[in-house]
Amino acid sequence: MTTTQARHDALGEATLGELAQALRGVLIRPEDPSYDEARSIWNGAHDKLPAAVVQCHGVADVLRGVEFARSEGLSLAIRGGGHSIPGFSTSDGGLVLDLSAMNGVRVDPDRRRIVAQAGCLWRDVDVEAQAFGLAVTGGLVSTTGIAGFTLGGGIGWLVRRCGLTCDNLVGADIVTADGQYLHTSEDEHPDLLWALRGGGGNFGVVTSFEFRAHEVGPTVFSGLVFYRGEDAAQVLQGFGEAAANAPDELSLAVNLTTAPPLPFLPEEIHGKPIVAVLGVWSGRTEDGDAATKPFRGLAPVVADVFGPMPYVAMQSLLDPLYPRGMWNYFRSAFFSDLGATTVDALISSYSEAPNAVSELHIHHLGGAMGRVPADATAFGTRDREYILNVVARTPDSAGFDGVVEWARSASAALGPDAASYVNFTGEASDERVRASYPPATYARLAAVKGRYDPTNLFRLNQNIPPSVSPDRQP
């Protein structure tokens, strides 16, 4: 008998039947034909067997699911887009609350507000908001869910102009561990809103997010320019020099990668090391060519495909490179500059990349993100100009342990003070979570956790255990 079968038997058919009858959505059990599809997530590295999956159709289903998990002593996994790199959106023997059917978006163009349910993907939000020429900093892959992305911070193509996604979170509806349904804002439960702005999924099930929107698009000047892999050091050094003078409207990244078989790349370079500089100018489109020029001549150019593009097209440009089912492990490290020591470390790691689908992303930060006061949100690191995201992947299990070790080594090569980004810690790790926050911020998060989730029901996340407090009531 499998672990899941044992858990399912212990629950009892009558108990699960009562839950199914109480739902507006669907309860899926291991014996159901749709179980394998319902339990699968984007990251193929995690193949878990939950006792049941609740496909929620509304807040009432979330309330019932939370109550059921608490009363039955089940681990509780919350799934928005399902892109969790450590696999937190599923669980062996536990209950999964799948929010993907809760994907409504409402845009208020007069107030410049976007209200989006927690099951939305970024493509859902982008399409609706762009109908009014609005946007909020979103994911670089449009199939990413908004929930985990926002709660951990949110770094995207508007980060220098508009700040992190969590910086633009002005309100949220949330179901807490004791079954309360709360609205949080600057005026209602402000401590909880502070924690949701970068503290991860530790505090409850957020069912909807309210964002401050910005005028963007519908056309932006964006794209990619490619350089040969042997010029990587020259490109990185020149990128750092040019980035020092970049306006806030310009967000860019460098990808140290392998040339894909794209029609605009010479055939002889396919499958060989290549450097891509990609990004978005979100100011006046006619100013985009001049604004991006310093980054499009850093070395002899292989191909330059920058130009005017719909914002929604740029937001989905990388989607084909991140299909469902591959084995993924992402690691991160913030750092201050692209000086010689850092460039040498990055080039060394790049030269040791284990396969053609594993790569290093160096994203330029600062701008609006860096001007937010350190204590205004729970997001941990704002004083570094760059973040390294190590994207380690394999098509299946073969060689996965090797790419994980490479990713850990590449992030560690930037030094012991290179703080981590909580959304890209790779796996569940108390050490990496603590490294994502200054000590005072971590202590404050633990205190908020103690008030809203004193028993740590919401622990399938980059977990911050609750601190002991005499007053744990919200």
Side-chain angles (χ1 to χ4, degrees):
M1 181 179 290
T2 68
T3 301
T4 297
Q5 287 173 330
R7 176 74 264 180
H8 175 250
D9 292 345
L11 287 173
E13 193 61 38
T15 303
L16 286 169
E18 288 177 9
L19 175 61
Q21 287 297 316
L23 297 172
R24 188 162 66 92
V26 180
L27 179 70
I28 298 176
R29 290 166 269 199
E31 65 270 22
D32 293 331
S34 57
Y35 175 74
D36 279 338
E37 180 181 358
R39 72 182 179 86
S40 71
I41 59 173
W42 174 82
N43 188 358
H46 303 286
D47 183 24
K48 297 184 180 180
L49 300 168
V53 177
V54 175
Q55 295 180 331
C56 300
H57 283 196
V59 172
D61 289 345
V62 175
L63 288 163
R64 292 180 180 114
V66 169
E67 166 60 26
F68 186 83
R70 186 177 68 245
S71 64
E72 297 296 329
L74 294 172
S75 63
L76 182 61
I78 313 304
R79 181 186 304 166
H83 273 221
S84 169
I85 297 301
F88 294 137
S89 46
T90 187
S91 166
D92 273 327
L95 185 69
V96 174
L97 294 188
D98 181 353
L99 310 182
S100 59
M102 297 172 60
N103 59 2
V105 181
R106 186 177 77 253
V107 181
D108 184 337
D110 295 328
R111 295 177 59 242
R112 294 186 187 173
R113 292 290 187 266
I114 301 167
V115 177
Q117 289 184 297
C120 287
L121 308 181
W122 277 110
R123 64 188 177 201
D124 302 321
V125 174
D126 290 337
V127 168
E128 294 295 329
Q130 279 291 281
F132 304 95
L134 298 173
V136 65
T137 305
L140 303 185
V141 176
S142 75
T143 59
T144 304
I146 71 169
F149 185 90
T150 300
L151 296 173
I155 298 171
W157 293 130
L158 300 177
V159 66
R160 286 178 47 78
R161 177 182 164 191
C162 306
L164 298 162
T165 313
C166 72
D167 296 338
N168 294 283
L169 182 66
V170 296
D173 296 328
I174 183 170
V175 175
T176 58
D178 60 356
Q180 291 193 72
Y181 180 57
L182 304 177
H183 180 74
T184 178
S185 67
E186 294 287 359
D187 300 320
E188 303 171 84
H189 307 284
D191 59 335
L192 184 54
L193 179 64
W194 173 86
L196 296 179
R197 292 170 166 166
N202 276 281
F203 310 99
V205 185
V206 178
T207 59
S208 71
F209 298 82
E210 182 177 357
F211 299 109
R212 179 190 306 109
H214 304 262
E215 291 187 1
V216 174
T219 300
V220 293
F221 194 92
S222 58
L224 308 89
V225 58
F226 292 91
Y227 304 97
R228 294 183 183 274
E230 56 260 36
D231 293 325
Q234 179 180 339
V235 171
L236 287 172
Q237 290 163 359
F239 185 95
E241 293 168 3
N245 299 308
D248 290 358
E249 294 87 351
L250 186 60
S251 288
L252 294 130
V254 182
N255 284 10
L256 305 179
T257 184
T258 301
L262 297 172
F264 51 79
L265 292 178
E267 200 169 318
E268 66 268 17
I269 209 170
H270 292 178
K272 294 182 178 179
I274 200 167
V275 182
V277 174
L278 60 165
V280 170
W281 164 261
S282 59
R284 295 196 317 163
T285 307
E286 55 267 36
D287 297 332
D289 183 65
T292 56
K293 269 257 192 281
F295 299 89
R296 292 159 54 207
L298 301 173
V301 172
V302 175
D304 184 345
V305 288
F306 265 92
M309 183 186 304
Y311 176 75
V312 292
M314 184 62 191
Q315 282 291 91
S316 59
L317 189 68
L318 302 180
D319 289 4
L321 302 179
Y322 294 91
R324 186 182 183 91
M326 290 189 70
W327 287 47
N328 292 270
Y329 180 91
F330 294 179
R331 194 84 162 190
S332 64
F334 291 96
F335 61 99
S336 295
D337 58 61
L338 281 166
T341 301
T342 300
V343 169
D344 287 348
L346 292 169
I347 297 300
S348 177
S349 297
Y350 179 38
S351 70
E352 297 168 356
N355 57 35
V357 293
S358 294
E359 53 195 23
L360 303 179
H361 297 180
I362 299 98
H363 203 119
H364 184 218
L365 304 175
M369 171 188 168
R371 290 192 292 272
V372 174
D375 61 353
T377 73
F379 189 82
T381 305
R382 294 185 183 271
D383 60 346
R384 311 291 173 91
E385 282 291 307
Y386 297 93
I387 185 171
L388 168 68
N389 291 327
V390 186
V391 176
R393 300 188 290 168
T394 54
D396 49 37
S397 61
F400 187 66
D401 289 346
V403 303
V404 168
E405 287 307 311
W406 172 74
R408 291 171 176 164
S409 174
S411 61
L414 295 188
D417 64 337
S420 180
Y421 173 34
V422 74
N423 275 354
F424 286 170
T425 57
E427 66 266 296
S429 165
D430 291 344
E431 178 187 0
R432 298 303 294 173
V433 174
R434 284 186 176 273
S436 300
Y437 302 102
T441 300
Y442 186 92
R444 185 176 172 187
L445 284 167
V448 177
K449 176 78 167 179
R451 285 193 290 275
Y452 292 94
D453 184 17
T455 64
N456 206 11
L457 175 67
F458 300 106
R459 58 186 178 274
L460 290 183
N461 45 49
Q462 295 296 1
N463 195 237
I464 299 170
S467 61
V468 176
S469 169
D471 178 15
R472 286 176 165 172
Q473 296 302 312

